[in-house]
Amino acid sequence: QPSNVILLTCDGFGVLPPISKLTRHQVIYHFLNGYTSKMAGTEVGIKSAVACFSACYGEPFLVWHPMKYAEMLADRLEAAGAQAWLLNTGWLGGAEKGKRCPLKYTRAILDAIHSGELIKSDVRECPPFNLFYPTTCPGVPDAVLDPHTSWADKADYIKQANHLAGLFRDNFKKQYADKSTPEVLAGGPEAPPA
């Protein structure tokens, strides 16, 4: 049985933490949304980051409703006592002015997950995503773990984070809200203040 399960994303907007520790309900939420992004230069006509959502990271191949797969995953994680993580190999500091998260940091994060070191770290919330990221990881500067710190323009970070959080909410509402519990809905980004 696995002790860790890692969901992989590539956030081209540069607003998600490189690693987030997921609860059962967040696993369901993020597995259903299946977020990643297309980046400039990866496909013809793509000039900037474009959010892509594919249920269970493989929607075209699903036979049943995605909720069935997400609940099966959460049940199996719980039965095995495994921890789920959201690993983001995307950008730090934004798509336009930032850079890709260095591979050496991604490797250090994976090493810390598998050695059991990362689970010991304190966590901090990353608003508006309702994600919790470790505050320390061997081999990774603390500032890299907090996506907010990699942006020179903090107001621009907040604008981009709220934009992507809105895309998360819109996709989830359109596809899965009617089949989700309030706890699963709360596993995603916060709604903006009224």
Side-chain angles (χ1 to χ4, degrees):
Q1 295 291 335
S3 53
N4 293 284
V5 171
I6 300 165
L7 305 183
L8 183 63
T9 191
C10 177
D11 173 32
F13 295 89
V15 294
L16 291 181
I19 188 69
S20 300
K21 183 179 176 185
L22 301 178
T23 66
R24 173 188 171 85
H25 298 107
Q26 289 172 320
V27 167
I28 293 171
Y29 186 94
H30 289 281
F31 195 58
L32 286 172
N33 248 0
Y35 165 71
T36 194
S37 50
K38 295 179 185 177
M39 293 305 301
T42 60
E43 292 184 30
V44 175
I46 302 293
K47 305 282 187 225
S48 61
V50 176
C52 300
F53 299 95
S54 180
C56 308
Y57 299 95
E59 190 167 8
F61 308 103
L62 302 180
V63 176
W64 298 312
H65 189 280
M67 183 61 82
K68 180 172 180 123
Y69 296 100
E71 288 175 342
M72 284 173 35
L73 173 61
D75 289 344
R76 290 183 181 203
L77 286 168
E78 200 169 272
Q83 176 61 55
W85 304 89
L86 181 63
L87 179 66
N88 170 25
T89 63
W91 270 246
L92 303 171
E96 320 268 309
K97 299 174 186 167
K99 62 180 181 180
R100 189 92 189 244
C101 184
L103 185 56
K104 67 181 179 180
Y105 296 153
T106 300
R107 286 182 176 149
I109 289 168
L110 287 169
D111 289 344
I113 288 171
H114 294 303
S115 74
E117 284 300 309
L118 204 58
I119 197 79
K120 298 174 191 174
S121 175
D122 290 334
V123 293
R124 186 174 297 138
E125 186 174 6
C126 179
F129 296 100
N130 193 26
L131 289 170
F132 290 83
Y133 62 90
T135 57
T136 61
C137 176
V140 180
D142 295 350
V144 168
L145 298 169
D146 178 354
H148 186 262
T149 62
S150 64
W151 285 66
D153 184 339
K154 306 305 184 204
D156 195 28
Y157 167 82
I158 291 167
K159 179 181 173 187
Q160 286 298 316
N162 286 330
H163 169 70
L164 183 59
L167 295 176
F168 273 46
R169 285 190 302 273
D170 291 347
N171 182 70
F172 200 86
K173 182 179 178 183
K174 180 175 59 175
Q175 302 283 343
Y176 315 110
D178 63 329
K179 296 193 179 345
S180 295
T181 65
E183 294 83 7
V184 169
L185 290 170
E190 307 157 353

